[in-house]
């Protein structure tokens, strides 16, 4: 397949921090929306963006937790939002649109990982519904406020290697596997950026998806210690057996995607370690060390997902 998925030699890497990735950028007067911007790498992205002068709106499902985490961070406002509840998504969007403000950076950061089987809304599988459909509805409802030249950043994961779109059973109604469900949701996050970039590029809005890296954050809250031992992440004493990124390093690709002039003229790409990722080998199986699966950047798959998502959520800013 013809693709722009090739490294551009950014000069950054896996150990780059969010502050380093945004160094030199003046975001004064810019407004960013960062879902989940109060925990883990989302919190570090919020700190980096406000440190560069941006005003950041943090939609949060746990408002009290967000207020505590963001205490002392200037230029932040917290709003209530539950991505698993489309009524909550609509209410947040309506409140924001009523403010008359424009969005320069829209970062779909919040998510859940490998949770027990959970159903939300009309019976949707929770990881697909929260990680993808909630953000799909949010971005489309906020679209009237998205400024020309804005960037939209969709946080995916190397976990997308675990599953392509399961078109015959998107909602896992015929047997649930938490890692396959997470993989499908993360593939959806990439396909969303591919299609959004295709639709919005003519107004100068570019979209990117990314793998932030392996980081120990509250995202792992559903994983028992025994499973992390089995996966080779920690030993019996809880010591790390693999090199994880710090949250500050994990947020670097997010803020680089949102602000870097090195990405000018590009879009619809999957990023990792503050650079454009290469395609995974076509015969790759399981989780590879790096790269993006071809099915996750396939334009026809992206269009198909967009159509399904619009049908499920009842919203499409480009229809």
């Amino acid at each position: 397949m013809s693709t722009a998925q090739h490294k551009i030699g950014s000069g950054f890497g896996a150990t780059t921090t969010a502050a380093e990735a945004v160094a030199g950028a003046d975001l004064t007067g810019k407004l960013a929306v960062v879902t989940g911007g109060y925990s883990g790498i989302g919190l570090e992205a919020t700190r980096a963006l406000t440190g560069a002068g941006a005003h950041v709106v943090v939609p949060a499902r746990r408002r009290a937790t967000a207020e505590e985490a963001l205490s002392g961070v200037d230029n932040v406002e917290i709003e209530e939002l539950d991505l698993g509840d489309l009524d909550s998504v609509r209410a947040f969007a309506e409140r924001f649109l009523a403010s008359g403000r424009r969005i320069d950076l829209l970062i779909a950061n919040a998510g859940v990982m490998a949770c027990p089987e959970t159903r939300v809304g009309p019976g949707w599988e929770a990881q697909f519904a929260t990680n993808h459909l909630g953000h799909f509805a949010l971005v489309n409802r906020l679209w009237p406020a998205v400024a020309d030249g804005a960037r939209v950043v969709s946080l995916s994961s190397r976990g997308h290697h675990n599953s392509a779109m399961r078109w015959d059973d998107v909602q896992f109604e015929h047997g649930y596997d938490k890692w396959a469900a997470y993989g499908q949701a993360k593939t959806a996050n990439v396909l969303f950026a591919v299609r959004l970039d295709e639709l919005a590029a003519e107004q100068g809005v570019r979209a990117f998806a990314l793998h932030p890296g392996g980081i120990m954050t509250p995202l792992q809250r559903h994983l028992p210690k025994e499973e992390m031992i089995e996966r080779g992440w920690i030993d019996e004493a809880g010591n790390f057996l693999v090199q994880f990124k710090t949250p500050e390093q994990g947020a670097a690709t997010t803020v680089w995607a949102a602000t870097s002039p090195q990405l000018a003229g590009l879009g619809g790409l999957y990023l990792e370690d503050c650079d454009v990722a290469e395609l995974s080998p076509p015969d790759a199986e399981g989780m590879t060390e790096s790269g993006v699966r071809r099915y996750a950047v396939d334009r026809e798959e992206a269009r198909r997902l967009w159509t399904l998502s619009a049908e499920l959520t009842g919203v499409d800013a480009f229809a």
Side-chain angles (χ1 to χ4, degrees):
M1 64 186 292
S2 176
T3 178
Q5 287 289 162
H6 299 294
K7 292 183 182 296
I8 61 173
S10 68
F12 296 120
T15 61
T16 299
T17 66
E20 290 168 345
V22 79
D26 182 3
L27 302 181
T28 303
K30 302 290 187 182
L31 186 144
V33 175
V34 183
T35 65
Y38 61 98
S39 177
I41 62 175
L43 174 58
E44 296 306 326
T46 297
R47 286 174 171 158
L49 293 172
T50 57
H55 180 80
V56 180
V57 177
V58 177
R61 184 172 58 86
R62 298 170 293 157
R63 182 168 192 140
T65 302
E67 289 174 346
E68 181 178 355
L70 292 166
S71 175
V73 180
D74 295 331
N75 297 320
V76 171
E77 63 181 275
I78 300 166
E79 276 277 1
E80 292 185 9
L81 170 67
D82 181 351
L83 288 164
D85 180 349
L86 292 189
D87 289 336
S88 174
V89 173
R90 182 178 64 250
F92 166 78
E94 288 175 348
R95 291 194 304 272
F96 186 89
L97 293 176
S99 75
R101 293 179 293 175
R102 305 292 282 174
I103 299 170
D104 301 290
L105 311 172
L106 181 44
I107 299 175
N109 166 84
V112 293
M113 181 180 80
C115 60
E117 183 173 3
T118 307
R119 300 285 157 180
V120 301
W124 295 336
E125 190 279 312
Q127 296 188 76
F128 182 69
T130 303
N131 297 352
H132 170 64
L133 291 175
H135 280 122
F136 177 90
L138 178 67
V139 171
N140 277 275
R141 290 198 177 278
L142 287 175
W143 200 253
V146 175
D148 290 353
R151 287 192 189 173
V152 180
V153 179
S154 176
L155 267 79
S156 178
S157 163
R158 192 171 299 158
H160 82 272
H161 292 198
N162 287 329
S163 179
M165 290 301 303
R166 293 163 46 104
W167 297 115
D168 59 339
D169 188 20
V170 171
Q171 304 296 353
F172 284 82
E173 296 169 317
H174 305 291
Y176 179 72
D177 179 291
K178 65 183 182 182
W179 286 110
Y182 179 67
Q184 175 183 245
K186 294 292 99 178
T187 290
N189 291 150
V190 186
L191 292 171
F192 168 71
V194 170
R195 181 57 175 155
L196 179 62
D197 188 78
E198 192 173 47
L199 291 167
E202 68 178 29
Q203 70 183 73
V205 177
R206 306 312 300 260
F208 299 92
L210 63 91
H211 168 52
I215 313 107
M216 277 294 179
T217 71
L219 189 65
Q220 282 85 7
R221 60 185 173 274
H222 295 296
L223 297 184
K225 178 181 177 181
E226 294 73 21
E227 184 167 355
M228 288 191 278
I229 293 172
E230 182 181 333
R231 297 178 76 86
W233 295 354
I234 61 174
D235 63 18
E236 293 285 351
N239 300 309
F240 292 143
L241 299 177
V242 297
Q243 186 171 0
F244 288 97
K245 290 187 178 186
T246 66
E248 294 86 353
Q249 293 167 340
T253 305
T254 297
V255 298
W256 184 74
T259 66
S260 177
Q262 293 176 305
L263 291 169
L266 300 175
L269 299 173
Y270 174 92
L271 317 174
E272 60 187 2
D273 293 339
C274 294
D275 207 333
V276 178
E278 299 284 345
L279 288 173
S280 298
D283 57 349
E285 296 181 1
M287 293 275 285
T288 59
E289 287 299 312
S290 62
V292 60
R293 286 285 201 263
R294 283 160 167 75
Y295 57 67
V297 290
D298 184 285
R299 290 183 181 274
E300 288 305 317
E301 289 283 284
R303 291 166 187 160
R304 185 177 182 182
L305 176 63
W306 189 279
T307 298
L308 173 65
S309 304
E311 291 172 354
L312 292 173
T313 63
V315 58
D316 185 351
F318 299 90

